[in-house]
Amino acid sequence: MAQDNSQSFQLASGDFRWVEFTVRQTPTEIDCRYEVLTGQATVHAELLPRSEFRQLYRGRDHQAMTSTPAARSGNFRQLIAEKGQYALVLVNERGAPPATVSLDFRTTINPRTEDIARGLPPQRRLTVILISFAVFFVTVAWSGRKLIRAMGRS
């Protein structure tokens, strides 16, 4: 079952607009696309759980589930595995001229397996890479230490 939503926003410099929605059934896939109709390539989209949206709304640091880089257009697909309230947010960078943005997004409950995006969001990808490097270097250091001790005994 899918639900389509389409709307346009006028965003001032440093401004943001959001669409709140509730996930009642999991898994649910969010397919988001936006396009800057007038203005520059200074707009990006973010998908946030309600708690992180509160942080954004208060002007504090927040962690997006996924986001796009600032551009004239962008899109993402994200699978949501937990029930709850979420916000899809369009942000125009500070100091940027006003922009008119068209937002289209679709929510699909129980998407087909072959339709599910198969990548990690950038933040998680970086975390996986850093953890992998740390494990690798700890293993190399431990092995090197053992090898040096064994060579010293002979």
Side-chain angles (χ1 to χ4, degrees), residues 111-132:
R112 295 181 315 171
T113 305
E114 55 270 14
D115 292 340
I116 296 173
R118 301 207 188 282
L120 290 174
Q123 299 86 354
R124 286 193 181 163
R125 191 176 312 139
L126 178 62
T127 302
V128 168
I129 290 169
L130 292 175
I131 290 171
S132 298

Side-chain angles (χ1 to χ4, degrees), residues 77-88:
R77 290 171 65 182
Q78 178 71 34
L79 190 65
I80 297 178
E82 293 182 26
K83 296 177 184 178
Q85 293 183 312
Y86 296 85
L88 186 54

Side-chain angles (χ1 to χ4, degrees), residues 16 46 48 51-63 94:
F16 62 90
E46 298 182 18
L48 304 167
S51 59
E52 293 297 325
F53 175 71
R54 282 191 218 113
Q55 297 297 322
L56 170 73
Y57 193 81
R58 293 176 180 148
R60 297 181 181 153
D61 287 340
H62 62 281
Q63 183 73 34
R94 291 195 188 282

